[in-house]
Amino acid sequence: RADWDDLIAQMEADPNRGHFKKNENWDKVDWDGMEPELKKEFIDFLISSCTAEFSGCVLYKEMKRRGNNPDITQLFQLMARDEARHAGFINDALREAGLRVNLGFLTQKKKYTYFRPKFIYYATYLSEKIGYARYITIFRHLEAHPEHRFHPIFKWFEEWCNDEF
């Protein structure tokens, strides 16, 4: 129980609260000068990442809403907060390219399939671990090879991993 309480306290403290905001480290992106194939792939990466993060938010909110265990519902509420923050940050990066994902449309038009909670727990665990591996791998590669970093969002990936892990 002590470990659980420590985990929830850390999540409630929200150490990454101010992290997902552009600051002086956010370089100007030359979208028009970006190689077209790279731009296409990167925009696809941002859109799929934004959609995935927001889908996690919707799922976790629904788990909180339908749950009856106060510990679990609190956990999902905190996770929904983090996923919404990630989706918003990515969507903000997309706006610089003149694009954005209509996240409200996703909640209104998407059909949902019911899964038993144990499958949601497994999927959530795997999703967060895969997300961590994805973001930390990109961050470490670009840390070692900064000449390959073509967008400032990658600078935020290390702290992003703290939310995923």
Side-chain angles (χ1 to χ4, degrees), residues 28-46:
K28 173 133 177 56
V29 178
D30 181 11
W31 287 100
D32 294 330
M34 196 178 289
E35 191 270 312
E37 190 59 31
L38 175 63
K39 180 178 178 179
K40 180 181 176 299
E41 285 186 40
F42 184 57
I43 286 173
D44 184 57
F45 169 80
L46 290 174

Side-chain angles (χ1 to χ4, degrees), residues 19-104:
H19 177 69
F20 294 97
K21 296 182 175 133
K22 292 179 183 176
N23 61 28
E24 67 280 354
N25 292 322
W26 191 270
D27 308 318
K28 173 133 177 56
V29 178
D30 181 11
W31 287 100
D32 294 330
M34 196 178 289
E35 191 270 312
E37 190 59 31
L38 175 63
K39 180 178 178 179
K40 180 181 176 299
E41 285 186 40
F42 184 57
I43 286 173
D44 184 57
F45 169 80
L46 290 174
I47 289 171
S48 64
S49 297
C50 182
T51 303
E53 296 286 353
F54 190 71
S55 295
C57 171
V58 170
L59 172 65
Y60 301 155
K61 277 186 171 182
E62 189 65 17
M63 291 296 289
K64 183 218 180 280
R65 188 178 73 76
R66 290 183 181 222
N68 54 21
N69 178 312
D71 288 329
I72 298 298
T73 58
Q74 181 182 22
L75 174 65
F76 278 114
Q77 178 180 343
L78 294 166
M79 290 173 67
R81 173 203 67 199
D82 292 346
E83 300 301 291
R85 184 181 293 152
H86 300 163
F89 189 66
I90 296 168
N91 218 5
D92 194 35
L94 278 165
R95 282 186 194 96
E96 291 184 347
L99 303 167
R100 73 177 190 81
V101 176
N102 182 349
L103 299 174

Side-chain angles (χ1 to χ4, degrees), residues 96-113:
E96 291 184 347
L99 303 167
R100 73 177 190 81
V101 176
N102 182 349
L103 299 174
F105 178 81
L106 293 176
T107 59
Q108 296 165 2
K109 300 294 180 186
K110 187 165 173 78
K111 283 191 163 191
Y112 295 101
T113 303

Side-chain angles (χ1 to χ4, degrees), residues 123-135:
T124 297
Y125 175 79
L126 291 173
S127 173
E128 295 300 310
K129 291 298 182 190
I130 290 167
Y132 173 83
R134 174 186 184 189
Y135 293 127

